[in-house]
Amino acid sequence: MDNNNNNSLEERVSVFLNEEFDHHRCNNLEYDHHHHHQSNDTNDWSEERTIYWESQYLLLQEVLERYNLTGSKLRREIGRTTDMAKDTEYCHCAKTKTVHGHGCNHCLRRIVIKNLREKGINASLCSSKWRHTKKHPQGCHEYIEVIGNKTISSQSKQISYVVEVEFRDQFEIAKPCEEYKKLLSLLPEYYIGKIDCLNAVVRIICDSAKRSMKEKKIHMGPWRQTSFMLMKWSKVPLNNSSDDTFQPPISPPPSPIKKQSQFSVAPPAVVVT
């Protein structure tokens, strides 16, 4: 039932954005046909712009409200764990430090996974990779996956949650318009939720980034496009991966914890490509 609701949410976002695109295209055609009415066209463009940004803001609010309905307890726990990890000297590799000066996100993800496992939460590291195409450059991205248990009709069901510790930073762009800044301020610093809701958020923000950069007359690189961004949190199923894609566990599994937890103790994490 939840999957159907989430899928319909993402589909609604896609349909809405496609309708917006058609509406913008019609406005552009009308503008070309009536370009001699400059003052009227300017007013029409200003009105259309206001409607666009207001609708994007309301749509993102609706998606984030749905996002906050599930996994609130897990979200608080992972958020606290991530904040505590950032306050430690977690990075010991030779990689360049982040702009925040804490350390690389590669090491941050690993210490977060380690700390979550010690609390009895089933957390593992995932990696998505994609090849170079005519539309997109080659790339890869790491994120955390947490498996939680939910009781439905007296039956326990496993639910997968995506954990992105640098979520808001993924959508930073050069010289954003004020409306885009306002949208970005709605996003959580960390994303901890279902993939379907994540995809809906990505579609809204990427479409808004495209609009902002167009208004500022800035070229939008292929790595900013919706299809490219969505690939960051995708993964190939484990049974389709070759043996040489597996990496050693980042840490041994913790000792059994006597305290009961709603999340199962995780096995050693593997990288899924």
Side-chain angles (χ1 to χ4, degrees):
M1 185 69 179
D2 289 341
N3 288 336
N4 291 335
N5 288 336
N6 286 330
N7 287 335
S8 63
L9 175 64
E10 184 180 356
E11 289 171 1
R12 284 169 54 200
V13 169
S14 299
V15 170
F16 179 84
L17 294 179
N18 288 335
E19 288 177 350
E20 285 291 295
F21 173 78
D22 291 338
H23 176 66
H24 298 160
R25 182 172 59 182
C26 290
N27 283 345
N28 289 335
L29 291 175
E30 291 177 2
Y31 176 82
D32 292 337
H33 184 67
H34 303 288
H35 64 277
H36 56 283
H37 300 296
Q38 184 174 359
S39 60
N40 290 336
D41 290 333
T42 301
N43 292 335
D44 290 343
W45 179 85
S46 178
E47 182 180 356
E48 183 273 333
R49 182 181 186 277
T50 300
I51 293 174
Y52 172 82
W53 286 110
E54 287 181 351
S55 63
Q56 292 294 93
Y57 189 86
L58 293 174
L59 186 60
L60 182 59
Q61 275 189 323
E62 180 184 351
V63 173
L64 291 178
E65 286 174 3
R66 182 74 63 87
Y67 160 77
N68 288 320
L69 288 177
T70 59
S72 57
K73 184 177 180 180
L74 176 64
R75 193 172 295 117
R76 289 193 298 270
E77 185 62 45
I78 296 177
R80 284 195 297 265
T81 302
T82 305
D83 288 336
M84 292 176 63
K86 282 188 173 182
D87 291 335
T88 64
E89 294 293 332
Y90 60 82
C91 185
H92 302 286
C93 68
K95 293 186 177 182
T96 305
K97 302 297 182 183
T98 64
V99 292
H100 304 291
H102 296 294
C104 71
N105 288 309
H106 179 77
C107 291
L108 176 60
R109 294 186 188 98
R110 279 158 173 72
I111 192 65
V112 169
I113 290 173
K114 178 179 179 294
N115 293 344
L116 289 176
R117 286 176 161 194
E118 290 176 352
K119 296 179 180 181
I121 296 177
N122 187 344
S124 59
L125 184 69
C126 290
S127 176
S128 56
K129 295 182 181 180
W130 55 92
R131 297 179 179 179
H132 174 82
T133 66
K134 293 181 179 180
K135 293 184 178 181
H136 305 122
Q138 179 179 338
C140 62
H141 185 73
E142 288 183 344
Y143 62 94
I144 299 171
E145 182 181 49
V146 168
I147 304 298
N149 295 322
K150 183 178 181 180
T151 302
I152 302 177
S153 301
S154 70
Q155 293 184 345
S156 181
K157 179 182 178 182
Q158 288 192 333
I159 300 178
S160 174
Y161 293 93
V162 173
V163 179
E164 178 54 71
V165 297
E166 49 174 347
F167 185 60
R168 193 186 301 146
D169 294 344
Q170 296 288 329
F171 303 99
E172 295 286 350
I173 62 174
K175 300 179 180 179
C177 65
E178 291 302 318
E179 290 80 3
Y180 185 79
K181 289 180 181 179
K182 186 178 179 181
L183 273 183
L184 214 60
S185 68
L186 292 179
L187 296 182
E189 181 180 2
Y190 317 132
Y191 181 87
I192 305 163
K194 298 179 182 179
I195 186 65
D196 301 276
C197 188
L198 171 63
N199 289 344
V201 172
V202 171
R203 292 182 186 280
I204 297 170
I205 298 298
C206 287
D207 189 78
S208 301
K210 181 178 180 180
R211 175 64 181 247
S212 176
M213 298 179 82
K214 183 177 180 180
E215 290 182 4
K216 294 290 185 177
K217 295 180 172 57
I218 299 175
H219 172 70
M220 185 175 185
W223 56 90
R224 294 291 184 188
Q225 295 178 4
T226 303
S227 55
F228 183 92
M229 294 295 290
L230 288 174
M231 288 190 291
K232 289 188 174 185
W233 297 282
S234 63
K235 64 178 181 180
V236 177
L238 187 62
N239 55 7
N240 289 340
S241 301
S242 58
D243 292 338
D244 59 358
T245 60
F246 289 92
Q247 302 295 331
I250 61 171
S251 63
S255 301
I257 300 175
K258 294 182 179 180
K259 183 179 178 180
Q260 293 294 325
S261 172
Q262 62 174 319
F263 305 103
S264 57
V265 177
V270 296
V271 176
V272 182
T273 57

